[in-house]
Amino acid sequence: MPRITPKTLLKAYRINPLLPLLLPECRTIDQAKIEYKWLSQELPLKKKNYNNIRLLKACQLRFRHYPLQYILKTQPFGNIIINCKPGVLIPRWETEEWCLKLISNVKIINDLKVLDLCTGTGCIPILLAHSLISYQKNTNFKGQLIGVDVSPIAIDLAKENSRQLASNIDGTSLSSVLQFIQGDILNQNNIINKNAHFDIITCNPPYIHNFIRAASVRCYEPKLALYGNLIFYQNLIDKWINRTDSFIYEVGDMNQVQFLYQKLKTLNSKDTWKVGFAKDSNDQVRCVYGYKSNNTRLPMNHIFEKFGQILC
Amino acid sequence: MCKNIFRINPILLFKRFHSQDITFKPLNPSLILRASKFQEELTRLESLMAQNNNSGGGFNVEQQKKYAKLCSITDALKEYQANYEQFKELEEMVKQDPTLSEDAEEEIKEIYPNLEKSKQLLFHKLLPPHPFADKSCLLELRPGVGGTEAMIFAQDLLNMYINYAHHKKWAYRVVSETENEQGNGIVEAILAIDEPGSYDRMKFESGVHRVQRIPATETKGRTHTSTAAVVVLPQMGGEDERETDAYERTFKPEEIRIDVMRARGKGGQHVNTTDSAVRLTHYPSGIVVSMQDERSQHKNKAKAFGILRAKLAELERKEKEEKARKARTDQVTSTDRSDKIRTYNYPQNRITDHRCNFSILDMESVMNGQKFDALIDSMEKYDNDIKAKQLLNNVGQN
Ligand SMILES: C[S@@+](CC[C@H](N)C(=O)[O-])C[C@H]1O[C@@H](n2cnc3c(N)ncnc32)[C@H](O)[C@@H]1O
């Protein structure tokens, strides 16, 4: 990354003495100005003459690479706002992107059953619930969405987020539709009722297995949410593959896609799986997905049409 | 004393009240002329059709259609003329015979709504309303020549439109705004006015606005001339989730390119950037829309699509208009010309609209929105006159 020159710093200072503090994270003066605007608009307000100090403090935190989303305590995700707090991973736009793509193909299904593993803030099932319920206003969504995470802080936050959603939409039936469970998917066995079967399992597992360059991630987001590799994809094969008709897992690289693809090809099962991968708008490999080619309740090949590229 | 005045002047008081309350602006004479030409045509057509009928030739469909159209215009004209005659008689009565004036006034009040209605009806039969007349609008502003001063002026114009919306009690939003580096002007801004019909009012703002003044930044006290450009666009749909989604899907993948502004690195869990900018490129038209104001990438994208939609609709309208004009072979009117439309001369406290040659000597009241209507009114009148004249020139081509 190019160094920020003293000239740029001075220029930023002349516009606003606080801007230079934002430059290390924002890189450009334009972006720093935008972020400053967000800070001054959205920083939770207290007493009037207090606010300048709070703004200064916020900019100082940013200078130390503290994530903006932890300062403002929110991150937009699709058309909803997810509450964020330290100890839980901030939802990423890449996840938002594939999630919206999925939603556009399942929004009419009014009995959809989804399990979201490693749910964190709960952003994935909450956005799904919000979109499906508001899209199906007249027919009344009666599917089931479950989020699982090992971290109690995450589960607490996910529940808080779902309460907020309930107050936003007519939340009478939400608690019967959306549920969060604390549990360790790698080491615990009976987190989900034995007989439950899902249409889709979604998961954004910790997938980083090398050095994280960005200090705001490395120093401030929970390691439990970041570091992992093939183990979570292996876990899908070991524990979940017989309990779902399809899956979408986020990935960090093509290796993880290949790993899962090979495992599924040699899987000893009566079902045959179609497996594919999808790239994000930044042209990075971002998801691996798969669905059974027969014996499914929903038309899976239709749901995953245009989702990405099928491997064969 | 007070009592006295009242006893002496009841009629006078009433009259004054009347003259403020009901004044009628008759329809442009050239439009009336045009309408009566239609009437003549109808008479001709009627006799032609009667002949055909007698010789057993029957009607053809084209003639039928034309007949129906001419009839409806003629009916509207008759209705309007009858109402207007009655109105004039009553007015005359008020002037001539004070003893009857009270009754006449009453009657004027009664027939006035009908008169207005028939006038509007005839007007719209002759000059169909603008295709976007009922839409709300977007105003896009950019500085032109003149450096920083142009950016300051663009900001002034933005404020003027905001003040005007405020004055009209219209809902508005600043959809995007990019300040210049010094923070005293804008590089670009889009203002949305969420009032149905505001497009019709604001449409004349499209074009280059010129300012003449001594810039605040000028040390030698010289007057500068700078410009800013305004584009007025129709808002074509709501920002409603479903609708934007459906709109996005009307494009083929090869027509549109969506860029998110974050190229470097692996992305995903590796970074938690806050840069949510989105850029849309529409290849067939070459239109590029960038949006970065929202923290939500999703919202930025929805907004960008909304603006693309407005731009495409305006483009299509202009193309259609151009074609129609070529078919009619009339001249480009000064309303359509995209060069300098207005000058804001600060030293002389004067704003001049060069299209209709209208000047107003009250910079402040225009800029704060209160007298802005005067500018639009004179443009509207001018535009209607032009259109009426064009209609006349094209007699016989319909
Ligand atoms: C990358 S975050 C994803 C959070 C959220 N789904 C999102 O997309 O923003 C991974 C999550 O997995 C959880 N996690 C890590 N190990 C786990 C395990 N063994 N069982 C269940 N959840 C686990 C972490 O607590 C963390 O919240």
Side-chain angles (χ1 to χ4, degrees):
Chain A
M1 239 179 257
R3 248 173 56 85
I4 296 160
T5 61
K7 206 176 138 201
T8 314
L9 280 173
L10 185 65
K11 202 161 142 192
Y13 180 82
R14 290 218 172 105
I15 297 167
N16 182 332
L18 293 182
L19 276 196
L21 292 172
L22 300 178
L23 276 177
E25 272 295 314
C26 295
R27 311 307 302 172
T28 63
I29 289 185
D30 279 343
Q31 187 59 26
K33 274 163 78 177
I34 290 174
E35 201 167 304
Y36 183 82
K37 191 174 80 182
W38 292 336
L39 276 168
S40 46
Q41 280 171 353
E42 289 184 43
L43 208 60
L45 292 184
K46 286 201 180 150
K47 265 195 240 132
K48 192 87 183 157
N49 46 4
Y50 227 63
N51 289 335
N52 285 338
I53 302 171
R54 285 168 59 81
L55 205 51
L56 170 68
K57 287 242 163 79
C59 292
Q60 284 172 340
L61 281 172
R62 284 300 276 155
F63 186 68
R64 279 180 262 135
H65 304 285
Y66 193 74
L68 178 75
Q69 295 89 338
Y70 288 159
I71 298 173
L72 298 179
K73 301 188 180 0
T74 58
Q75 169 64 29
F77 194 75
N79 55 350
I80 60 176
I81 307 247
I82 293 288
N83 294 328
C84 295
K85 68 173 169 212
V88 186
L89 187 106
I90 299 156
R92 305 292 200 253
W93 69 267
E94 290 92 337
T95 311
E96 172 190 46
E97 190 177 67
W98 65 252
C99 213
L100 288 168
K101 204 154 71 172
L102 172 67
I103 285 168
S104 67
N105 289 339
V106 298
K107 63 188 173 200
I108 49 166
I109 304 169
N110 80 345
D111 56 355
L112 189 72
K113 285 198 168 65
V114 179
L115 173 62
D116 182 46
L117 301 172
C118 301
T119 199
T121 54
C123 54
I124 298 169
I126 291 175
L127 182 60
L128 269 165
H130 177 86
S131 307
L132 271 65
I133 291 172
S134 50
Y135 193 84
Q136 300 171 13
K137 253 181 222 129
N138 314 322
T139 49
N140 237 330
F141 178 68
K142 48 181 184 291
Q144 197 177 22
L145 307 162
I146 301 177
V148 177
D149 203 290
V150 68
S151 151
I153 315 173
I155 289 297
D156 273 354
L157 184 61
K159 285 182 177 162
E160 179 190 319
N161 275 319
S162 97
R163 275 196 298 277
Q164 178 170 311
L165 169 69
S167 63
N168 274 345
I169 57 177
D170 178 22
T172 38
S173 59
L174 195 69
S175 56
S176 65
V177 166
L178 182 58
Q179 210 184 326
F180 290 99
I181 303 173
Q182 196 246 320
D184 179 345
I185 59 166
L186 298 179
N187 303 307
Q188 256 172 284
N189 274 326
N190 303 319
I191 305 170
I192 305 289
N193 176 351
K194 275 237 145 32
N195 302 320
H197 191 87
F198 296 93
D199 297 312
I200 309 173
I201 289 182
T202 55
C203 179
N204 177 12
Y207 55 63
I208 299 181
H209 50 89
N210 42 21
F211 181 68
I212 300 174
R213 300 181 57 152
S216 62
V217 180
R218 191 179 61 236
C219 306
Y220 297 106
E221 290 195 277
K223 305 215 165 12
L224 181 65
L226 296 164
Y227 292 104
N229 192 359
L230 304 175
I231 188 164
F232 284 93
Y233 306 98
Q234 181 66 50
N235 177 258
L236 167 65
I237 301 291
D238 296 343
K239 288 209 181 134
W240 307 105
I241 202 75
N242 292 322
R243 309 187 61 175
T244 187
D245 286 350
S246 70
F247 65 83
I248 303 175
Y249 269 54
E250 201 172 300
V251 297
D253 56 50
M254 197 60 191
N255 263 339
Q256 294 162 344
V257 176
Q258 287 297 349
F259 172 81
L260 196 56
Y261 174 56
Q262 293 304 333
K263 289 279 167 183
L264 279 169
K265 230 169 46 175
T266 55
L267 189 70
N268 199 358
S269 138
K270 60 183 185 337
D271 304 309
T272 48
W273 283 83
K274 281 211 182 312
V275 181
F277 69 97
K279 289 185 167 183
D280 62 30
S281 289
N282 201 15
D283 213 29
Q284 303 284 323
V285 175
R286 191 52 64 208
C287 296
V288 56
Y289 65 97
Y291 55 92
K292 287 200 278 190
S293 51
N294 44 13
N295 294 327
T296 59
R297 200 174 67 86
L298 301 170
M300 286 302 169
N301 55 351
H302 185 72
I303 290 175
F304 286 98
E305 197 184 290
K306 292 187 192 151
F307 197 83
Q309 210 172 316
I310 293 286
L311 294 158
C312 40
Chain B
M1 178 78 182
C2 238
K3 229 178 177 179
N4 226 0
I5 291 175
F6 259 96
R7 211 184 300 142
I8 298 167
N9 289 326
I11 291 172
L12 206 92
L13 282 173
F14 198 66
K15 265 212 149 156
R16 213 182 267 149
F17 172 65
H18 154 242
S19 60
Q20 278 179 357
D21 202 27
I22 296 183
T23 46
F24 178 69
K25 267 198 287 181
L27 210 55
N28 188 318
S30 49
L31 276 178
I32 300 292
L33 195 61
R34 176 69 182 122
S36 38
K37 291 233 161 95
F38 278 126
Q39 197 172 15
E40 287 162 23
E41 218 172 317
L42 177 66
T43 325
R44 270 203 304 280
L45 187 66
E46 264 170 343
S47 62
L48 190 75
M49 282 162 84
Q51 272 171 23
N52 275 353
N53 206 18
N54 288 341
S55 59
F59 307 117
N60 69 36
V61 184
E62 273 312 300
Q63 267 180 351
Q64 288 262 12
K65 267 196 202 154
K66 194 166 179 186
Y67 180 71
K69 188 185 160 197
L70 291 173
C71 273
S72 88
I73 293 175
T74 309
D75 287 348
L77 174 66
K78 282 182 187 152
E79 169 89 18
Y80 169 71
Q81 279 175 328
N83 285 339
Y84 189 36
E85 280 311 313
Q86 198 183 357
F87 178 81
K88 278 195 291 197
E89 269 168 35
L90 288 168
E91 265 198 334
E92 204 47 35
M93 221 188 271
V94 175
K95 273 188 214 144
Q96 302 294 329
D97 190 347
T99 57
L100 288 177
S101 74
E102 204 162 319
D103 288 342
E105 293 277 1
E106 271 313 303
E107 218 178 321
I108 285 185
K109 264 192 205 150
E110 226 165 78
I111 67 156
Y112 183 74
N114 273 338
L115 176 60
E116 261 305 320
K117 218 167 82 189
S118 57
K119 173 182 146 188
Q120 286 305 326
L121 186 73
L122 179 58
F123 181 79
H124 286 306
K125 289 243 145 114
L126 293 169
L127 294 177
H130 193 284
F132 302 142
D134 57 349
K135 299 270 188 256
S136 40
C137 66
L138 298 170
L139 292 139
E140 191 183 34
L141 296 100
R142 277 174 209 286
V145 293
T148 307
E149 164 67 357
M151 296 171 189
I152 298 171
F153 179 53
Q155 173 88 66
D156 292 341
L157 286 180
L158 176 65
N159 291 342
M160 174 178 80
Y161 294 131
I162 288 176
N163 290 339
Y164 179 62
H166 210 79
H167 172 70
K168 286 283 202 184
K169 300 196 170 61
W170 289 345
Y172 61 87
R173 303 164 277 142
V174 178
V175 178
S176 81
E177 182 175 6
T178 312
E179 277 187 2
N180 64 351
E181 258 166 26
Q182 300 89 321
N184 57 3
I186 53 173
V187 178
E188 169 269 359
I190 296 177
L191 175 71
I193 298 182
D194 298 317
E195 167 78 17
S198 57
Y199 178 90
D200 211 36
R201 209 64 195 137
M202 304 307 288
K203 62 176 189 260
F204 302 117
E205 293 306 300
S206 277
V208 175
H209 298 238
R210 182 171 75 167
V211 66
Q212 291 174 323
R213 65 181 171 196
I214 302 164
T217 50
E218 160 72 47
T219 44
K220 299 201 183 81
R222 283 175 303 201
T223 302
H224 285 219
T225 299
S226 318
T227 64
V230 178
V231 177
V232 183
L233 302 168
Q235 287 193 53
M236 298 307 288
E239 298 227 319
D240 166 70
E241 185 77 5
R242 263 197 222 198
E243 208 178 315
T244 47
D245 197 48
Y247 181 65
E248 238 183 276
R249 284 158 174 268
T250 60
F251 294 100
K252 295 193 200 82
E254 66 271 17
E255 279 178 353
I256 208 134
R257 183 187 155 127
I258 304 174
D259 289 304
V260 293
M261 308 294 188
R262 47 189 123 208
R264 270 191 312 269
K266 292 188 175 131
Q269 289 164 16
H270 286 271
V271 288
N272 58 16
T273 170
T274 56
D275 183 352
S276 52
V278 170
R279 185 176 60 204
L280 292 186
T281 311
H282 181 251
Y283 290 114
S285 64
I287 294 173
V288 178
V289 184
S290 299
M291 197 52 67
Q292 57 188 21
D293 280 34
E294 298 279 346
R295 274 175 72 205
S296 157
Q297 178 183 286
H298 180 64
K299 260 200 197 149
N300 279 334
K301 197 168 105 185
K303 275 184 169 182
F305 266 106
I307 288 160
L308 175 65
R309 188 174 189 178
K311 290 196 169 187
L312 286 174
E314 182 71 8
L315 198 69
E316 191 187 344
R317 181 190 69 81
K318 273 195 182 151
E319 274 167 8
K320 259 191 203 153
E321 213 166 66
E322 190 61 30
K323 253 190 208 158
R325 183 158 48 223
K326 275 198 185 124
R328 293 196 313 261
T329 66
D330 48 57
Q331 307 228 309
V332 177
T333 66
S334 50
T335 337
D336 308 313
R337 248 183 313 182
S338 48
D339 53 26
K340 175 191 73 194
I341 61 166
R342 208 180 275 157
T343 297
Y344 301 70
N345 187 316
Y346 277 75
Q348 295 174 15
N349 191 30
R350 188 195 58 207
I351 298 180
T352 303
D353 196 304
H354 304 292
R355 296 164 297 185
C356 56
N357 277 325
F358 175 79
S359 285
I360 178 167
L361 281 163
D362 191 347
M363 186 67 72
E364 195 186 328
S365 305
V366 171
M367 299 306 276
N368 71 19
Q370 277 164 16
K371 286 197 183 162
F372 185 73
D373 267 325
L375 281 171
I376 302 192
D377 285 340
S378 63
M379 255 325 282
E380 203 158 67
K381 186 176 169 305
Y382 169 77
D383 186 54
N384 283 338
D385 286 351
I386 293 266
K387 288 215 178 103
K389 274 189 202 125
Q390 271 174 10
L391 260 182
L392 276 178
N393 293 340
N394 288 307
V395 166
Q397 283 187 21
N398 289 57

